[in-house]
Amino acid sequence: EVQLVQSGAEVRKSGESLKISCKSSGYNFNIYWIGWVRQMPGKGLEWMGMIYPGDSDARYSPSLQGQVTISVDKSISTAYLHWSSLKASDTAMYYCARRYSSAWGYWGQGTPVTVSS
Amino acid sequence: QSALTQPPSVSGSPGQSVTITCTGTSSDIGTNNRVSWYQQSPNTAPKLILYEVGNRPSDVPDRFSGSKSGNTASLTISGLQAEDEADYYCNSYTNSTTLGIFGGGTKLTVL
């Protein structure tokens, strides 16, 4: 069974760094893209970027490029989303997802991130 | 690139059919069949219900169907059930990224 399990809720202050995780199981981690989606409070879904674990090829949404870094640790089948300096506007729910054909068919449960100013 | 355009809300009674549209441009929906739809119930992660316009994952009932014409994709839910009440999002590849872009979302209310 394919499962994506995300790390727990985070509360940080503006300017702090943060790395959240998405641990995969039940399939060959190396050969499926993993994506990250942001959902701000009461708003819709927005792509942040995606990564191919096999060669760590990472691609970012043009509107968010430079604000976050996506990485993987293949040894533990885990993808990461990293901020070096959080802003209050980063407050949101973050989901990871895995490719299913050309779509995204397997989702993590979400990680809520709260950033206070 | 701007989000795809969806109606903010639609509604229907149990047993009826509803259609949710998703309008893009010749740079996204109009240029490929990589259109997918997601259902999100309150406080839960999105769930894939259609991919490549009209294909259903095995766990999605055939009450859900999809189509595309020009720059507009559509999701039709027939035989509405109370459990279908949720937010629905479309997504399409674009000619510049396979990440795709989402629609703004449509809230379905089952009356």
Side-chain angles (χ1 to χ4, degrees):
Chain A
E1 178 191 9
V2 174
Q3 286 193 314
L4 280 68
V5 178
Q6 298 184 229
S7 50
E10 300 280 2
V11 179
R12 291 285 190 277
K13 295 182 179 180
S14 292
E16 293 184 340
S17 64
L18 175 65
K19 181 183 276 189
I20 62 175
S21 67
C22 171
K23 182 171 177 59
S24 298
S25 62
Y27 71 98
N28 184 343
F29 179 69
N30 291 333
I31 63 172
Y32 291 93
W33 288 87
I34 296 283
W36 285 95
V37 172
R38 178 174 76 178
Q39 188 168 36
M40 300 174 78
K43 303 298 185 182
L45 305 175
E46 179 182 12
W47 281 113
M48 302 188 73
M50 61 183 181
I51 189 165
Y52 187 74
D55 60 5
S56 293
D57 178 13
R59 304 176 186 184
Y60 297 90
S61 168
S63 61
L64 292 169
Q65 181 130 22
Q67 298 182 31
V68 295
T69 302
I70 297 172
S71 62
V72 295
D73 183 338
K74 293 191 288 184
S75 69
I76 54 172
S77 300
T78 299
Y80 299 97
L81 183 63
H82 175 245
W83 293 261
S84 59
S85 181
L86 286 161
K87 300 176 287 191
S89 57
D90 292 319
T91 294
M93 179 71 81
Y94 293 88
Y95 295 102
C96 63
R98 198 213 83 173
R99 277 286 195 209
Y100 179 96
S101 187
S102 63
W104 301 89
Y106 301 95
W107 292 71
Q109 82 278 18
T111 295
V113 173
T114 303
V115 183
S116 62
S117 53
Chain B
Q1 193 146 8
S2 300
L4 305 174
T5 301
Q6 299 181 231
S9 63
V10 297
S11 63
S13 299
Q16 288 186 331
S17 294
V18 294
T19 295
I20 299 172
T21 57
C22 173
T23 302
T25 69
S26 57
S27 296
D28 39 68
I29 291 177
T31 197
N32 72 92
N33 286 327
R34 311 293 197 183
V35 177
S36 51
W37 290 88
Y38 302 83
Q39 176 193 62
Q40 187 179 33
S41 299
N43 301 313
T44 65
K47 175 186 177 182
L48 176 67
I49 54 173
L50 292 173
Y51 64 100
E52 292 165 9
V53 178
N55 293 311
R56 284 185 307 276
S58 58
D59 63 335
V60 175
D62 60 5
R63 301 187 296 106
F64 294 85
S65 61
S67 63
K68 193 193 89 164
S69 177
N71 296 337
T72 298
S74 299
L75 163 67
T76 297
I77 309 171
S78 58
L80 267 180
Q81 299 180 4
E83 67 202 48
D84 299 332
E85 188 162 288
D87 294 325
Y88 291 84
Y89 295 90
C90 60
N91 181 272
S92 171
Y93 279 21
T94 77
N95 58 10
S96 59
T97 174
T98 57
L99 256 179
I101 54 173
F102 281 107
T106 298
K107 182 175 182 58
L108 168 63
T109 301
V110 180
L111 302 170

